[in-house]
Every structure is written in C-alpha cells, then in structure tokens.
Amino acid sequence: MSEEARQQAQAEELILLVADNKTGYYCVSLAKAGQPKPYQAHVQRGGMRVHLGSFATAEEAALCVARSPE
C-alpha cells in the first residue's frame, strides 16, 4: 500500500510532505501501533486540530493530508 499511495500522489501531482518525526511525514502520527490502521492524519483549521482519519500506512495518511484543502 505504501508504494501505491506514493504512485497515486504522483498521478495526482501531489507532494507528500516529509517531516523529521517518527512517521516521516508532516501532519501524520503513529497513534496505535499494532492496530490495522495505526497512522492518523490531522491538519490545523482555524486554529483547531482536525482529524482526517486513520490509515494502514504513513504514506496513505500523508496522501490524505496532501489532498486536504488548505
């Protein structure tokens, strides 16, 4: 799934923003290690943190963040 998410981002001309954190991606966190969908995507909207969903891979979560309007 990780490679598929990267290829999809490239097809949609989106950039998965790399970060210096445990997941490697901006606005992606590892919430529940060992679970089927341990990675969470979140963004800031109007000064509030908005949860975008839980994902199986960090790349899928990063793709969701990249698709999220600013």
Side-chain angles (χ1 to χ4, degrees):
M1 264 328 244
S2 298
E3 185 57 33
E4 289 177 32
R6 281 193 218 95
Q7 289 175 356
Q8 188 61 39
Q10 187 175 19
E12 295 178 34
E13 297 182 355
L14 297 171
I15 297 171
L16 303 183
L17 297 175
V18 177
D20 186 23
N21 61 22
K22 290 181 181 182
T23 66
Y25 294 99
Y26 179 72
C27 292
V28 175
S29 61
L30 178 60
K32 300 175 183 174
Q35 296 295 315
K37 294 184 177 183
Y39 295 94
Q40 294 188 351
H42 48 82
V43 293
Q44 290 287 118
R45 292 283 185 312
M48 297 188 67
R49 185 176 179 158
V50 178
H51 177 73
L52 299 177
S54 298
F55 302 88
T57 68
E59 290 78 9
E60 289 177 67
L63 179 58
C64 182
V65 171
R67 287 176 173 160
S68 179
E70 291 187 32

